[in-house]
Amino acid sequence: MSAPIVALFGYESSTFTIKLRHVLRLKQIPYTFVTVPSMMPRPLLRDNFHLTYRKIPVLAIGREIYCDTSLICEALEHFFPEAEGYRTLYPTSQDGRNYRPLIRGFASYWTDRPLFRVTCGLMPASIWRSSFGTDRAQLIGHKLDPDKLERKLPENLSRLDMQLSMLEPLFADTNGPWVFSTRTPSFADVSVYYQLLWGNEISSGRLVANLTAGGAPDTEMEGATPVFNAKRYPGVWAWYHKVQRYFEGLPVVEDGTTSFESVLEQMKKSPTLGKKSMLLPTPRATHDELDAKCGLVDGALVSVAPDDTGRDDPTIGTLVALSPEEVVIKPLPLENQPTVETRIHFPRLGFVIRPVKQAKI
């Protein structure tokens, strides 16, 4: 049986879309890229899948839709394993150990959060003065002051300098190993690289037009150059370009020509996973007693929302499956029938899952 379609929904200037594009290329998984707007609304996702989740990217593997890159990457590693000819995100280290749990934490608790906040702080103020700024204020839950954010650029550049200072000792030997001393780049290398790539591009005034849907033009700015350069951090700089060359040498696996209608048809033809196979493997099954005390039982109506930004826009659906690390729901029906019946997967890390009373819908 042929592999199910893999479809990545994102946009060119999305930080985390860039992350997943590198993950898919590193693992050499063929996929279709479907462009969605950088701002709400996104009728393509809402109308066809009843997916109201605000953040991008999302990824479909057949009929299963995965949200948040922390879970998406684990799904890709599981369903496209090294044993079947794909590359791994977690190669063995030179000391013979596999540091997968540490690498996952490295990405979730460092690069995807504090480092991401720093690179976001380098965005030109023209972005915040556009409709993109209004959209992101709604996501964050409070108004944004473009002038104040512009005044904070030197402070945020200083914070990037601090982050680079922390990274530099990893690369003291500029011809040495990858981040976790692995034989090939790991998810840790991707996690640092995509943030520095995006931060460097956006702070220099590139990607602005795409991010703002034409609301602000691309420009040429100094960007991160004062702190991110070969003289100040030679180790990080050499490693960064080493990663860049590595990816340039990998075959392209992205298909950007397939129509969305064809993607939908391929999704419809994909088999529905059984309850046991739809959950990613974990060391232990879910703790039924604790979950029941939290109201998380099969068939319960639940809301799933990020624990940072986007808390006011939960995704609501019927609880289908649960593990210590993952929650799967069938999305709440909207006005019309979805084009494809899907299940939506979220990580439990970084999300709040709570039962919902019918009266609150």
Side-chain angles (χ1 to χ4, degrees):
M1 185 172 64
S2 60
I5 184 172
V6 177
L8 174 62
F9 298 86
Y11 53 93
E12 296 291 332
S13 53
S14 159
T15 325
F16 291 95
T17 297
I18 292 171
K19 174 185 179 180
L20 282 190
R21 278 176 145 169
H22 281 83
V23 164
L24 287 157
R25 192 166 181 178
L26 181 62
K27 284 190 62 63
Q28 287 292 285
I29 300 171
Y31 70 99
T32 299
F33 185 73
V34 181
T35 300
V36 297
S38 62
M39 294 169 274
M40 298 296 280
R42 298 190 181 103
L44 183 146
L45 297 174
R46 185 185 189 277
D47 297 346
N48 290 289
F49 311 131
H50 289 183
L51 179 62
T52 56
Y53 179 61
R54 276 195 61 125
K55 295 186 179 182
I56 291 296
V58 296
L59 182 121
I61 303 177
R63 291 173 173 266
E64 309 297 322
I65 293 182
Y66 293 85
C67 300
D68 197 87
T69 58
S70 65
L71 181 67
I72 292 170
C73 292
E74 294 308 301
L76 291 171
E77 185 73 0
H78 173 65
F79 289 112
F80 301 90
E82 199 173 16
E84 294 182 10
Y86 299 97
R87 300 192 181 194
T88 179
L89 297 177
Y90 304 105
T92 303
S93 178
Q94 290 182 1
D95 63 6
R97 298 184 64 185
N98 187 294
Y99 289 98
R100 183 172 183 169
L102 288 178
I103 293 174
R104 291 178 66 189
F106 176 85
S108 292
Y109 291 105
W110 187 0
T111 61
D112 287 358
R113 295 199 176 208
L115 182 53
F116 176 53
R117 286 194 291 270
V118 167
T119 55
C120 277
L122 302 177
M123 293 165 66
S126 60
I127 293 173
W128 304 118
R129 294 188 178 105
S130 73
S131 56
F132 179 87
T134 304
D135 177 82
R136 288 311 188 263
Q138 293 170 352
L139 173 67
I140 295 168
H142 61 78
K143 289 185 177 181
L144 297 172
D145 183 342
D147 294 334
K148 180 180 178 181
L149 292 170
E150 188 169 39
R151 290 193 297 271
K152 289 184 69 174
L153 283 171
E155 180 182 332
N156 288 321
L157 195 59
S158 177
R159 288 175 176 168
L160 177 61
D161 190 58
M162 176 196 69
Q163 298 281 338
L164 294 170
S165 179
M166 293 171 67
L167 285 167
E168 180 67 13
L170 277 172
F171 310 110
D173 179 0
T174 55
N175 294 313
W178 305 101
V179 172
F180 271 79
S181 299
T182 49
R183 65 183 186 275
T184 54
S186 74
F187 185 42
D189 294 276
V190 173
S191 297
V192 179
Y193 177 74
Y194 88 91
Q195 280 292 346
L196 295 181
L197 172 64
W198 182 82
N200 193 46
E201 289 291 295
I202 201 72
S203 66
S204 299
R206 297 181 286 274
L207 301 177
V208 171
N210 179 269
L211 189 63
T212 62
D218 284 354
T219 56
E220 284 296 327
M221 303 174 66
E222 185 179 50
T225 305
V227 298
F228 186 36
N229 59 69
K231 183 177 180 180
R232 186 160 179 81
Y233 293 110
V236 177
W237 186 261
W239 165 86
Y240 177 85
H241 289 281
K242 182 180 177 182
V243 176
Q244 187 177 57
R245 291 191 298 272
Y246 186 91
F247 275 98
E248 288 172 350
L250 292 175
V252 174
V253 290
E254 179 176 300
D255 169 21
T257 61
T258 299
S259 69
F260 180 57
E261 290 72 22
S262 177
V263 170
L264 291 175
E265 287 304 312
Q266 292 182 67
M267 289 179 69
K268 287 178 184 177
K269 294 176 183 177
S270 298
T272 301
L273 295 178
K275 185 172 181 178
K276 289 184 178 179
S277 57
M278 81 169 72
L279 286 168
L280 302 182
T282 53
R284 299 290 181 271
T286 188
H287 197 298
D288 292 331
E289 183 180 351
L290 283 177
D291 287 335
K293 288 180 179 179
C294 296
L296 304 181
V297 295
D298 282 359
L301 192 66
V302 297
S303 71
V304 185
D307 64 8
D308 49 11
T309 56
R311 286 173 289 185
D312 295 334
D313 294 288
T315 303
I316 297 175
T318 304
L319 183 59
V320 175
L322 199 63
S323 81
E325 300 181 22
E326 181 182 4
V327 58
V328 186
I329 65 171
K330 182 179 180 181
L332 190 71
L334 301 177
E335 301 84 9
N336 300 307
Q337 286 294 315
T339 308
V340 182
E341 293 282 350
T342 63
R343 275 89 59 99
I344 315 296
H345 300 241
F346 291 93
R348 295 184 75 166
L349 176 66
F351 284 77
V352 177
I353 306 119
R354 292 202 173 108
V356 175
K357 294 181 180 179
Q358 292 282 350
K360 291 185 178 181
I361 300 174

